[in-house]
Amino acid sequence: MKIKNLFTLAFVFFGLALATAQDDLLNQLDSVKSDKKEIEIATFKGLQICNMQSTKLPVKGEFYFLVSHRFGDLTEGINNFFGLDNALTKIGGIYGVANWLSVGASRHTYRKTYELAAKYKLANQEVDGFPITIVGYNTMDIDSELKKTNPCQD
């Protein structure tokens, strides 16, 4: 009977000792923290959202070929083929120069406009850190339409 009590007491003692040891190991794991800041994954998966720019940039070395098509006025119905006759098209490309910088060039059918663009990341959203991603976008447009209108002449 004494041996049974002794084994029970030894089992409880060693069981508590092991449980305490596990807590110590978990506390040690939690105390190890990395100084490396984790960047949040992309909020947007595309470079554009409808007609607006998103915060996503191409990765360094990637090239995107873009074709954008916007229908014209739909109110005339079949007379202008439901907006297709006076549609606007943009054809261009975007290249990732660096992970934080991309450049692009395109041509619009509206007024035969050429566009040069630059998109650059100013700040990344971080896990448990900076709450938003900040991206700048600049364009330079060149109107190359051959028909020049003079407002002084009628």
Side-chain angles (χ1 to χ4, degrees), residues 21-36:
Q22 293 300 319
D23 288 339
D24 290 341
L25 285 175
L26 291 174
N27 289 338
Q28 287 176 1
L29 288 175
D30 290 339
S31 68
V32 176
K33 292 187 179 177
S34 173
D35 291 337
K36 185 179 177 187

Side-chain angles (χ1 to χ4, degrees), residues 10-20:
F11 180 73
V12 170
F13 177 73
F14 287 120
L16 289 175
L18 289 175
T20 305

Side-chain angles (χ1 to χ4, degrees), residues 12 17 19-21 31 40 59-60 77 83 91 152:
V12 170
T20 305
S31 68
E40 199 59 68
V59 178
K60 180 180 179 180
I91 297 176
C152 297

Side-chain angles (χ1 to χ4, degrees), residues 44-115:
F44 301 106
K45 303 301 182 205
L47 298 175
Q48 293 183 331
I49 306 164
C50 297
N51 294 336
M52 302 295 291
Q53 295 293 320
S54 73
T55 58
K56 179 175 173 48
L57 277 85
V59 178
K60 180 180 179 180
E62 279 186 343
F63 179 78
Y64 285 87
F65 179 72
L66 298 174
V67 178
S68 301
H69 179 82
R70 290 161 182 81
F71 286 95
D73 186 16
L74 299 174
T75 59
E76 293 182 32
I78 196 69
N79 289 338
N80 70 350
F81 203 60
F82 299 99
L84 195 59
D85 288 344
N86 53 356
L88 301 174
T89 305
K90 173 182 172 181
I91 297 176
I94 300 172
Y95 179 72
V97 177
N99 287 337
W100 61 272
L101 173 67
S102 67
V103 294
S106 61
R107 166 85 167 42
H108 303 256
T109 56
Y110 178 71
R111 300 189 59 82
K112 300 181 181 182
T113 305
Y114 292 92
E115 178 184 273

Side-chain angles (χ1 to χ4, degrees), residues 114-127:
Y114 292 92
E115 178 184 273
L116 298 174
K119 193 177 193 181
Y120 45 92
K121 189 173 290 190
L122 299 171
N124 280 317
Q125 182 179 0
E126 298 170 355
V127 176

Side-chain angles (χ1 to χ4, degrees), residues 111 143 145-153:
R111 300 189 59 82
D143 182 357
E145 188 172 41
L146 296 175
K147 294 183 263 178
K148 304 293 180 191
T149 59
N150 187 351
C152 297
Q153 293 178 346

